[in-house]
C-alpha cells in the first residue's frame, strides 16, 4: 500500500526532473487508495512524459507502477512567483547565451523557427553565412542546423570563434585546421596522414609569423584527407559561430584557406556573423568566399521596419519558453498586449534583448509584489541593458570602439538634447565614413532602423530613419522632455518620418 | 459477437492477412483489409455513441457521465490499437491497456496517464456506493473534455497512420 512518503518522494523526483521546485500539490485519499495530484498552469505532454518516467522509476523493469499520480491544470494566483514562473525566469536567462551544449535533448522543444523560414536554408548542403545583429538568433539558427545535421547522421564540427577573438594573424587558419583534423580523425581511415598533418601544423603554429606559402603547400594534403567524406558520399558540416570577432583584415584569408579544402568535398561551411564587421572576400586579391557565388547569405534581422513580424517572432519565442516551463501563453503574464508591443519596440526586434528585458521585467515585478509585467516595468528593464550593450561594443568592435562611442554620444546630443526627439534621419551614403560607423552602431543595437529609405523632399536623396536605443532615455534614465517617436508602437507612418531632424556631420 | 466473424478467429488480423497472401489472391486480401477497416470504424462508432450518450445526460448523473466517458475512451482506444497492431481482445485485462496507445499518437503520455485515472474513477462511480462526486480526481466536465479531445485526436491519427476515415 502506498504511503504519503512514497507519493512525496515521487513529487520530489518529478520536481527534480522537470526543474520545477515548490509546485502545488495534494494527496487525495479515496477508498481505492491515495493519488498524488500536482497542479501546473499548463501541464503539457513534456510534463506527463516526465511523470511517466518518474512512475516507471518506482518499479522494476516490466512491472506496473502501483503509485497513482496525475497532473491538473490550475494556475497559481501569482504566476510570476509560481514554480512555473521561476523556471521561466531561469530558462530565459539560460537562453541568453546559446552555445553548442544549450538545451541538449530539449533543443527542438525550445527552439522557435524564424518567420522567414531560415531553417530550410541552414540545413541545406550549401555554404551559408547568417547575418544579424547581436542577439538576433544567429547562433540559435546555427545550432538548429547542427542538431539537424546530427539527426541526419552528418558529421559536424562546431567552432566557437570567440576563442580567436581579436586575432589579426591568419595563422588562425592553422588553429582551425588543427581543430577540424582532431574532430574528424575518429571518422576517417587515414589516421597516419592525419597524424603527420597535425604534427606539421603544430610546428607551424609555433612560428611567430605564419609561412603562408608553406600552408598553401599543405592544403592539397589536407584536402586529400578530407576527400574521404566525398568519396564515401558522407557530409561534413563546419559551423563557425561569431566569425566577426577575428580581425576583419584576416577574415577573407582564413576563409580562403578553409574553402580551398572543403570545396567539392561534400563539406559545407556555415557561418554566423555581424554583417558590418565581416569581410568574407577581397575583390583585389580574389581571396575568400564571395557572397552569392561561394556562400549564400541568410538574413536574420527583424527590425522595427516590420514591427508586426518582429512581434510575431518574439511572442512565439516567449510562448515556446513559457510552454516549456508549464505556463500558458506569455500574454497571460502581462497586464495587456501593450507590454509585449513595448517589449518589441525597446528591444528593437532583437530576440535576445527581448528575452533579457522580459526576464528583468519579471524580476522587478515579482520583487514589488506585482502579478503581471507592465509597460513601465519593461521600460525600466530596458534601461538596465545599456551597460551590457556598451560592453558588447568594446568586444565586437574593439578596433574602433572609441570612435563609435564618440559618434554615438554626438548622435545622442543631436537628437535628445538639441532636438528633444529620440528619432532622426541620416542620408544614405555608403561611401561616407560616418554613415559606415552608423551602420556599425545599428549592428551593435545602439541605434535601430525604423525605415530603410525615406525622403524629405530633396531630389535624389534617400534617408535612413533611426531611433536611439530606448534604454538611454527611458526607465531609470527617463528623459521626460524627449518627444518619443511612435510612442504607441504602431505602424510607422511616412508623414511622421518626414518631420524628423536630419543628422549631418 | 455473432459467428462467422473475423475477430472470432482470435488471431492478429495483420498476421492472418500476411500468411494468407500466398493462398488467396489480391482481391481476397483487399476484402480482408476492408473488413478490418470496417471493424475499426464500428468500434470507433461505439465509442462515439457512448460519448454522445454521456453528453446528453443531466449534470446530476455524474456517475453515469464518468462511466460512459470511460467506455467511450476505451472503445476508441480499442479501435486505434486494433487498427495499428491488429490485436483484438475481449478479455477484462484489455481495460488496463486503454492507455497503451501506438507510438506517434499525439500527447501519448498525457492520454496514458489520464485514461488510467478515468478508469479508476469509472470503477469508483460504478461500484462504490459510498463515494461522492468530490472524490473524483477530475471534474465531470474535465472528463467529457478529455473524451472529446481523445476522439478527435484518434480520428486524426487513424487517418494519418492508416488512411482510415471515421
Amino acid at each position: 500500500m502506498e504511503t504519503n512518503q512514497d507519493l512525496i518522494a515521487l513529487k520530489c523526483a518529478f520536481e527534480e526532473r522537470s526543474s520545477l521546485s515548490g509546485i502545488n500539490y495534494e494527496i487525495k485519499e479515496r477508498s481505492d487508495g491515495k493519488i498524488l495530484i500536482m497542479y501546473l498552469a499548463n501541464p503539457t505532454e513534456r510534463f506527463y512524459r516526465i511523470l511517466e518516467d518518474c512512475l516507471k522509476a518506482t518499479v522494476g523493469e516490466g512491472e506496473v507502477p502501483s503509485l497513482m499520480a496525475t497532473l491538473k491544470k490550475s494556475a497559481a494566483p501569482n504566476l510570476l512567483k509560481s514554480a512555473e514562473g521561476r523556471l521561466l525566469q531561469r530558462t530565459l536567462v539560460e537562453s541568453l547565451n546559446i552555445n553548442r551544449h544549450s538545451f541538449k535533448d530539449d533543443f527542438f522543444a525550445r527552439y522557435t523557427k524564424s518567420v522567414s523560414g531560415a531553417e530550410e536554408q541552414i540545413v541545406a548542403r550549401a555554404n551559408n553565412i547568417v547575418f544579424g545583429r547581436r542577439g538576433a538568433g544567429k547562433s540559435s539558427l546555427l545550432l538548429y542546423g547542427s542538431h539537424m545535421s546530427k539527426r541526419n547522421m552528418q558529421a559536424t564540427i562546431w567552432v566557437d570563434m570567440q576563442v580567436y577573438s581579436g586575432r589579426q594573424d591568419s595563422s588562425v587558419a592553422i588553429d582551425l585546421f588543427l581543430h577540424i583534423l582532431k574532430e574528424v580523425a575518429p571518422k576517417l581511415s587515414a589516421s597516419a596522414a592525419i597524424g603527420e598533418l597535425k604534427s606539421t601544423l603544430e610546428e607551424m603554429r609555433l612560428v611567430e609569423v605564419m609561412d603562408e606559402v608553406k600552408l598553401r603547400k599543405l592544403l592539397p594534403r589536407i584536402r586529400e584527407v578530407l576527400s574521404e567524406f566525398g568519396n564515401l558520399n558522407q557530409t561534413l558540416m563546419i559551423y563557425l559561430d561569431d566569425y566577426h570577432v577575428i580581425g576583419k583584415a584576416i577574415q577573407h584569408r582564413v576563409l580562403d584557406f578553409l574553402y580551398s579544402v572543403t570545396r567539392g568535398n561534400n563539406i559545407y561551411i556555415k557561418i554566423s556573423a555581424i554583417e558590418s564587421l565581416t569581410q568574407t572576400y577581397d575583390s583585389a586579391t580574389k581571396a575568400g568566399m564571395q557572397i552569392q557565388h561561394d556562400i549564400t547569405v541568410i538574413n536574420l534581422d527583424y527590425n522595427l521596419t516590420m514591427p508586426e513580424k518582429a512581434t510575431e517572432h518574439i511572442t512565439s519565442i516567449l510562448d515556446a519558453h513559457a510552454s516549456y516551463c508549464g505556463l500558458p501563453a506569455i500574454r497571460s503574464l502581462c497586464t495587456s498586449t501593450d507590454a509585449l508591443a513595448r517589449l518589441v519596440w525597446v528591444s528593437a526586434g532583437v530576440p535576445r534583448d527581448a528575452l533579457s528585458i522580459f526576464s528583468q521585467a519579471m524580476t522587478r515585478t515579482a520583487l514589488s509584489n506585482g502579478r503581471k509585467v507592465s509597460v513601465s516595468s519593461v521600460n525600466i528593464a530596458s534601461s538596465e541593458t545599456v551597460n551590457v550593450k556598451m560592453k558588447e561594443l568594446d568586444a565586437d568592435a574593439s578596433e574602433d570602439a572609441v570612435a563609435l562611442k564618440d559618434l554615438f554620444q554626438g548622435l545622442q546630443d543631436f537628437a535628445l538634447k538639441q532636438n528633444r526627439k529620440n528619432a532622426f534621419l541620416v542620408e544614405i551614403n555608403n561611401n561616407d565614413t560616418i554613415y559606415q560607423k552608423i551602420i556599425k552602431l545599428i549592428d551593435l543595437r545602439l541605434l535601430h532602423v525604423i525605415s530603410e529609405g525615406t525622403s524629405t523632399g530633396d531630389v535624389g536623396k534617400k534617408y535612413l530613419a533611426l531611433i536611439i536605443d530606448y534604454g538611454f532615455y527611458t526607465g531609470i534614465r527617463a528623459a521626460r522632455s524627449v518627444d518619443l517617436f511612435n510612442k504607441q508602437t504602431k505602424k510607422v507612418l511616412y508623414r511622421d518620418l518626414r518631420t524628423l531632424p536630419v543628422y549631418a556631420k | 459477437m455473432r459467428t462467422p466473424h473475423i475477430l472470432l478467429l482470435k488471431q492478429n488480423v495483420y498476421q492472418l492477412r500476411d500468411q494468407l497472401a500466398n493462398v488467396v489472391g489480391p482481391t481476397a486480401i483487399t476484402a480482408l483489409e476492408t473488413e478490418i477497416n470496417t471493424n475499426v470504424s464500428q468500434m470507433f462508432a461505439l465509442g462515439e455513441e457512448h460519448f454522445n450518450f454521456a453528453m446528453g445526460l443531466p449534470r446530476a448523473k455524474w456517475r453515469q457521465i464518468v462511466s460512459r466517458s470511460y467506455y467511450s475512451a476505451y472503445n476508441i482506444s480499442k479501435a486505434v490499437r486494433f487498427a495499428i497492431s491488429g490485436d483484438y481482445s475481449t478479455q477484462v485485462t484489455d481495460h488496463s491497456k486503454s492507455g497503451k496507445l501506438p507510438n506517434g499518437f499525439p500527447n501519448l503520455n498525457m492520454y496514458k496517464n489520464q485514461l488510467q485515472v478515468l478508469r479508476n474513477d469509472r470503477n469508483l462511480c460504478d461500484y462504490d456506493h459510498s463515494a461522492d462526486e468530490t472524490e473524483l480526481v477530475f471534474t465531470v466536465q474535465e472528463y467529457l473534455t478529455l473524451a472529446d479531445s481523445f476522439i478527435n485526436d484518434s480520428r486524426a491519427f487513424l487517418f494519418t497512420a492508416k488512411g482510415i476515415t471515421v
Side-chain angles (χ1 to χ4, degrees):
Chain A
M1 193 71 180
E2 65 277 8
T3 64
N4 281 8
Q5 282 84 354
D6 293 333
L7 292 171
I8 286 170
L10 180 66
K11 179 192 80 86
C12 291
F14 178 81
E15 287 184 322
E16 195 180 329
R17 289 198 194 201
S18 64
S19 302
L20 289 168
S21 59
I23 54 175
N24 288 332
Y25 74 99
E26 72 167 309
I27 294 174
K28 206 172 181 108
E29 298 200 23
R30 315 192 319 170
S31 55
D32 59 348
K34 295 175 178 178
I35 179 166
L36 168 69
I37 304 171
M38 293 182 279
Y39 294 95
L40 296 185
N42 182 23
T44 58
E45 172 69 4
R46 181 177 98 83
F47 294 104
Y48 280 100
R49 190 174 61 243
I50 292 170
L51 177 59
E52 176 66 15
D53 291 343
C54 293
L55 283 165
K56 273 185 190 159
T58 63
V59 290
E61 184 76 32
E63 292 177 52
V64 179
S66 61
L67 295 182
M68 280 297 298
T70 192
L71 304 172
K72 272 191 91 167
K73 189 171 186 170
S74 175
N78 187 341
L79 279 177
L80 295 182
K81 287 187 170 179
S82 67
E84 301 93 304
R86 293 196 306 273
L87 178 60
L88 177 63
Q89 275 187 284
R90 212 165 80 209
T91 301
L92 291 179
V93 171
E94 282 171 7
S95 67
L96 297 180
N97 288 301
I98 290 266
N99 60 53
R100 66 176 152 159
H101 304 297
S102 297
F103 306 157
K104 295 191 173 159
D105 296 340
D106 288 329
F107 181 83
F108 289 109
R110 312 269 293 270
Y111 182 79
T112 305
K113 286 193 174 182
S114 63
V115 183
S116 59
E119 288 73 18
E120 282 183 30
Q121 296 178 65
I122 202 68
V123 298
R125 285 152 63 103
N127 300 313
N128 291 113
I129 185 158
V130 183
F131 283 140
R133 289 168 289 173
R134 233 184 199 269
K138 302 182 296 295
S139 298
S140 294
L141 181 62
L142 240 55
L143 206 52
Y144 175 87
S146 169
H147 278 275
M148 286 300 286
S149 295
K150 284 175 190 159
R151 194 182 259 190
N152 296 331
M153 309 300 282
Q154 292 169 336
T156 63
I157 294 176
W158 182 277
V159 185
D160 183 352
M161 294 301 293
Q162 202 65 44
V163 179
Y164 311 114
S165 178
R167 289 267 296 266
Q168 303 288 345
D169 54 303
S170 42
S171 58
V172 167
I174 295 179
D175 291 313
L176 276 179
F177 282 134
L178 278 166
H179 185 107
I180 291 166
L181 290 171
K182 186 183 159 209
E183 294 275 327
V184 299
K187 299 178 179 77
L188 299 178
S189 58
S191 53
I194 291 173
E196 278 175 34
L197 279 171
K198 279 164 72 179
S199 302
T200 312
L201 288 165
E202 287 285 5
E203 282 170 25
M204 290 173 69
R205 190 194 217 175
L206 299 174
V207 179
E208 191 131 330
V209 181
M210 189 184 83
D211 185 342
E212 288 209 13
V213 177
K214 195 172 178 184
L215 182 58
R216 290 224 171 266
K217 284 182 179 171
L218 266 190
L219 294 180
R221 284 171 60 195
I222 299 174
R223 184 179 167 78
E224 193 185 336
V225 163
L226 296 177
S227 68
E228 195 173 330
F229 284 102
N231 297 340
L232 297 174
N233 208 19
Q234 291 177 347
T235 306
L236 170 65
M237 297 287 194
I238 300 174
Y239 297 90
L240 307 178
D241 191 27
D242 280 346
Y243 192 72
H244 60 272
V245 298
I246 63 170
K248 201 170 179 179
I250 63 161
Q251 290 174 7
H252 66 280
R253 283 155 65 197
V254 172
L255 280 184
D256 195 63
F257 287 121
L258 199 55
Y259 189 40
S260 58
V261 302
T262 62
R263 190 178 189 168
N265 252 350
N266 260 12
I267 303 172
Y268 302 98
I269 301 169
K270 307 280 183 181
I271 299 171
S272 72
I274 293 174
E275 186 170 10
S276 63
L277 305 176
T278 306
Q279 186 184 359
T280 64
Y281 185 75
D282 178 49
S283 52
T285 57
K286 294 190 171 29
M289 296 178 81
Q290 198 173 5
I291 301 279
Q292 299 311 333
H293 295 285
D294 306 313
I295 191 163
T296 309
V297 171
I298 302 174
N299 256 316
L300 258 198
D301 259 342
Y302 307 105
N303 55 33
L304 296 176
T305 59
M306 297 180 291
E308 311 85 5
K309 285 237 172 196
T311 304
E312 186 189 334
H313 187 54
I314 285 172
T315 305
S316 53
I317 291 172
L318 284 166
D319 279 345
H321 283 301
S323 171
Y324 178 83
C325 298
L327 288 163
I330 203 72
R331 166 72 184 82
S332 64
L333 298 182
C334 304
T335 50
S336 68
T337 48
D338 290 350
L340 286 175
R342 177 54 62 93
L343 177 70
V344 172
W345 200 255
V346 299
S347 63
V350 177
R352 185 163 58 203
D353 288 348
L355 301 191
S356 169
I357 292 168
F358 195 81
S359 164
Q360 288 183 45
M362 280 179 74
T363 306
R364 283 200 153 266
T365 307
L367 281 173
S368 57
N369 283 325
R371 292 188 172 192
K372 299 205 170 187
V373 170
S374 63
V375 170
S376 65
S377 58
V378 169
N379 279 344
I380 291 171
S382 84
S383 65
E384 289 167 348
T385 62
V386 164
N387 293 340
V388 176
K389 287 187 179 177
M390 293 311 280
K391 277 183 192 161
E392 287 172 353
L393 184 150
D394 288 326
D396 283 337
S398 50
E399 290 170 16
D400 46 8
V402 174
L404 289 176
K405 280 180 186 171
D406 285 348
L407 174 61
F408 185 59
Q409 188 57 55
L411 291 168
Q412 283 188 84
D413 291 344
F414 168 75
L416 303 174
K417 286 185 182 168
Q418 294 167 28
N419 290 285
R420 304 260 174 229
K421 286 182 185 292
N422 65 336
F424 61 94
L425 303 177
V426 63
E427 189 186 346
I428 298 171
N429 180 358
N430 291 313
N431 297 319
D432 178 40
T433 53
I434 296 288
Y435 182 77
Q436 288 164 0
K437 286 195 176 83
I438 284 175
I439 297 297
K440 286 186 183 177
L441 290 172
I442 293 166
D443 278 342
L444 293 162
R445 297 122 61 238
L446 297 172
L447 298 174
H448 309 294
V449 179
I450 48 180
S451 171
E452 284 166 337
T454 189
S455 60
T456 59
D458 292 347
V459 179
K461 286 190 176 178
K462 276 276 178 190
Y463 296 87
L464 201 59
L466 301 163
I467 62 165
I468 292 170
D469 189 82
Y470 257 71
F472 289 87
Y473 47 87
T474 58
I476 53 175
R477 291 179 186 77
R480 292 185 187 281
S481 57
V482 173
D483 174 21
L484 299 180
F485 183 82
N486 196 16
K487 202 173 176 181
Q488 302 304 316
T489 63
K490 291 177 181 164
K491 195 172 167 127
V492 176
L493 296 175
Y494 182 65
R495 67 164 184 266
D496 295 334
L497 293 171
R498 288 177 69 123
T499 65
L500 294 175
V502 177
Y503 177 77
K505 58 182 168 174
Chain B
M1 201 172 282
R2 280 193 299 273
T3 186
H5 198 288
I6 188 176
L7 298 178
L8 290 177
L9 286 168
K10 300 196 186 305
Q11 167 81 41
N12 180 297
V13 290
Y14 293 132
Q15 286 176 7
L16 179 75
R17 177 198 61 188
D18 295 346
Q19 296 306 322
L20 288 175
N22 289 337
V23 182
V24 298
T27 310
I29 293 295
T30 304
L32 190 57
E33 285 175 341
T34 304
E35 183 63 16
I36 293 168
N37 290 354
T38 302
N39 276 274
V40 170
S41 298
Q42 288 169 344
M43 283 179 220
F44 198 92
L46 181 56
E48 284 186 303
E49 191 179 324
H50 285 305
F51 177 71
N52 291 333
F53 187 76
M55 286 291 286
L57 286 168
R59 177 64 188 74
K61 298 289 183 188
W62 60 274
R63 287 177 184 269
Q64 303 309 322
I65 296 175
V66 173
S67 184
R68 288 306 99 188
S69 294
Y70 168 72
Y71 278 105
S72 166
Y74 172 63
N75 279 286
I76 296 289
S77 160
K78 207 167 179 164
V80 170
R81 287 180 286 125
F82 174 65
I84 299 300
S85 72
D87 286 326
Y88 177 81
S89 169
T90 52
Q91 300 294 307
V92 70
T93 51
D94 193 54
H95 283 269
S96 66
K97 295 176 183 167
S98 60
K100 288 193 174 172
L101 298 161
N103 287 337
F105 194 88
N107 295 315
L108 188 72
N109 291 287
M110 186 273 280
Y111 282 124
K112 182 177 183 181
N113 181 277
Q114 294 206 348
L115 293 182
Q116 178 60 44
V117 175
L118 173 56
R119 183 180 169 219
N120 290 354
D121 270 353
R122 194 288 300 194
N123 286 336
L124 191 91
C125 290
D126 281 358
Y127 303 121
D128 186 350
H129 66 279
S130 68
D132 65 54
E133 195 179 340
T134 61
E135 288 183 50
L136 294 176
V137 175
F138 289 93
T139 64
V140 167
Q141 187 53 49
E142 283 169 336
Y143 279 131
L144 283 171
T145 305
L146 171 67
D148 191 21
S149 68
F150 185 55
I151 289 170
N152 288 328
D153 281 341
S154 298
R155 182 180 287 115
F157 180 77
L158 283 172
F159 182 74
T160 309
K162 298 295 286 186
I164 301 173
T165 305
V166 285

